[in-house]
Amino acid sequence: MSSLFTDTSHPNRKWLVLAIVAMTQLVVVLDGTIVAISLPHAQAELHLSDVQRQWVVTAYALAFGSLLLLGGRIADFWGRKRTYIVGLAGFGIASAYGGLIHSGAELIIARGLQGVFAALMAPAALAILTITFPMGRERNTAFAIFGTTAGMGAAIGFILGGILTEYASWRWCLLVNVPIVVVAIFAAALLLTESKAQGDTKLDIISAVTVTAGLGALVYGFTLAEHGWNQLSVLLYLAGAVVLLTVFVVRQATYAHPLLPLRILNRTRSGAFLLQMIAGATMIGAMLYLTFHMQIVLQFTPLQAGLGMIVQTVAISSTVPFATKLLPKFGPRPYLIIGPIIASVGIFYLSFVTVGGSYWTQIMPALIIAGIGMALLFVPVQNIALLGVDPHDAGAASATGNASNQIGGSIGLAVFTTIYVEASAGSHLPADLVEGYHAVFRASAVVVLFGAVIAFLMIRGSKADLMPGITVKEMH
């Protein structure tokens, strides 16, 4: 075993690297949902308003997603190993702070800090993986494992959050990250080798500010829309978001050292990023309301609600091996079309839940169907998003994929909350709550189904072009 840590040419060393980055990616993704299952308990202890409760989830996803582009460039230029370890350390400290706070405002701040350091850690991890597995069947396997780990992270977060809340405290949903981070830092220091992008090392701070402010204004505008779309504040925030994001895009096209080189965004890769955004909206936004239905309407305990979500995790993990094995035969494009269609059927099935309904007939079948569909999406989408990317842009490209997922989650949560409030008319009666959940699930099903349209129109190229194990041609 010691030779694995000392011999950089050891054939099994790369799989330990995969284990490390996959473990930390799991932590980053599940942290978006692990707190969600414990929100009723945290709200009661800290006296959070309903708006503050939502921002406990949104602050993490928004900070994470909006800063990932900057984090990706820092990883490229400052060094991927160094950035990864700093991100791990900061994430652990923010998690410890969040587990020890005494007010709702402090909890939201801690969650935002977690997102900031996750924005350093996640793109560095994916860039390390891209360099460790540059091509071939090993790359296919590595990305399938990594993508599936990330895909299951949201569901695992619900389960683990339920267990920790029921048997310890909601605070352990944050504190649990600390020992994982300590182990990961130790292993990363021994196993990883430093790598950097070649060439100019300037960072586009102005672009980082405009994209962060633009995305923040967008999500906050959607949040304010809970009380009506015709409010002046909503219109101002959304208009400001459009202006800031337009400035960002124009700067990327004209600045010599852009934060997001637009050459990354060819049609196929852009389609993959949009699919990741849709997956984030579904796994972070819509699934949160399913846990609310189970806890508030069906009166499940946090543990029962968490265990109720394990069916989706099992469906995903059971589907992935078969999907990975058949991927070389069919190629990724059919997966990316069929997967969202199947997932949308499962989510739409949830729109038939009732106040006195059974988990076994109204929820479990939906989670199985949705899990199968999402697994088909998770297996190839991460690989497609990075296929053909120049090593100089590896961090930026991986950051764009992760940002798409998190921003999709934060926007999805804001939009679905607005839909829920309008459909439930602000009532807390079980029948009215269920009407709100119905609206959320129907909207989510439409969004996921749109993913199939995106894949059909944007994921182009032959099977050989889209399979790095066969060829690594640049896509057109």
Side-chain angles (χ1 to χ4, degrees), residues 33-44:
T33 57
I34 190 173
V35 174
I37 202 78
S38 65
L39 276 180
H41 289 257
Q43 184 176 20

Side-chain angles (χ1 to χ4, degrees), residues 353-377:
V353 296
T354 59
V355 173
S358 167
Y359 167 83
W360 304 104
T361 59
Q362 293 188 351
I363 297 176
M364 187 177 73
L367 290 177
I368 292 173
I369 297 169
I372 292 171
M374 295 308 291
L376 295 178
L377 173 62

Side-chain angles (χ1 to χ4, degrees), residues 3 7 14 62 99-100 102 130 188 191 199 226 240 246 299 329 340 348-349 361 398 400 420 432 436 440 442 462:
S3 63
D7 183 5
K14 63 177 64 176
L62 181 58
L100 301 173
H102 300 287
T130 302
L191 281 172
E226 295 176 23
T246 300
Q299 295 293 300
K329 180 178 180 179
F348 185 74
Y349 187 93
T361 59
S398 63
T400 303
Y420 162 77
D432 294 324
V440 168
R442 286 193 294 266
S462 67

